[in-house]
Amino acid sequence: MSRLGSRLAALASEGRKALNAYIVAGDPDPAVTVGAMHALARGGADLIELGVPFSDPEAEGPTIQAGIERALAHDVTLADVLDMMAVFRGEDEDTPVVLMGYLNPFLRMGYEGFCVRAAEAGVDGVIVVNLPPEEAHAFRGALYAHGMDLVLLVAPTTTAERAAYIASQGSGFLYYVSYKGVTGARRADAAAVGERLNLVRAAANALPVLVGFGIRDGASAARVAAHADGVVVGSALVETMGSTPVPDVAARLEAQVREIRDALD
């Protein structure tokens, strides 16, 4: 079982909900990223979702777009993200890390070349927002061969049959997008999420289901987590990255994540 799978299984056995914390690699400065990742882990994040900067992040709202633009202003590439990841893994052997991004950078590096470097750096999986599962065979095979997961997404509009197919093509966990729209556009409706997750969990093929989009603090995380195996928090953390003086970023992130972790527990 992968490091990601082991962490989620351990949480389930303890009756605890997973907290997946997202930041953009290189935001607001490349020198901040590794320290920010450690701060997330200290605050209680069970796994980290590290965003790969890309110039056309079609699923992202203004907050994460701004974080990506701050990273791109420093010319941060996928290769740079893997270098940051290797430094983090050299200091933290336990916290699962999933890279989240869009297909173009992975294609440019090449699936096999990426997987070799990612495995060496200690990456545990990837989320590729715009990769349809029908076209994921080559990338999924390369990832699996190197011990990494391919995490796929389902939406509120996904049918039961489609959700079952998507779940059968991915691993690690199933990422449920809580509403129709881009990240950070509004708050997740816990009641609507709960109703929809009955269908999704039945189709999930035993994969844990984590909910993202619209979860900003402990209260919203706890409401949504009542229906899921865990939550993803992104825009609120990226907002902190962009609004905090660099020397204070780690402390602010740690406190922010701790508030959410305490609410989940």
Side-chain angles (χ1 to χ4, degrees), residues 70-172:
R70 290 190 294 266
L72 290 175
H74 294 282
D75 299 319
V76 174
T77 66
L78 177 56
D80 295 325
V81 176
L82 293 175
D83 288 341
M84 296 172 194
M85 181 63 221
V87 174
F88 175 78
R89 185 58 74 212
E91 301 163 348
D92 183 330
E93 298 180 356
D94 299 322
T95 305
V97 179
V98 175
L99 301 189
M100 184 276 192
Y102 297 81
L103 187 59
N104 300 57
F106 301 104
L107 278 174
R108 182 171 183 176
M109 183 174 285
Y111 292 157
E112 183 61 23
F114 164 77
C115 288
V116 168
R117 292 191 59 178
E120 290 174 349
V123 173
D124 298 293
V126 299
I127 302 170
V128 186
V129 179
N130 58 345
L131 176 62
E134 291 85 355
E135 299 179 21
H137 176 76
F139 200 6
R140 181 174 59 247
L143 288 164
Y144 288 6
H146 292 276
M148 290 177 284
D149 290 302
L150 176 63
V151 176
L152 297 176
L153 301 94
V154 294
T157 52
T158 305
T159 66
E161 293 77 16
R162 178 70 176 167
Y165 172 72
I166 292 171
S168 73
Q169 299 302 300
S171 62

Side-chain angles (χ1 to χ4, degrees), residues 214-259:
I215 300 166
R216 298 189 56 82
D217 51 25
S220 56
R223 286 193 297 269
V224 171
H227 307 285
D229 298 299
V231 296
V232 184
V233 181
S235 292
L237 301 177
V238 175
E239 186 176 284
T240 296
M241 300 286 282
S243 63
T244 304
V246 167
D248 301 328
V249 165
R252 285 280 303 277
L253 282 179
E254 183 175 347
Q256 189 174 10
V257 171
R258 174 59 61 193
E259 186 271 334

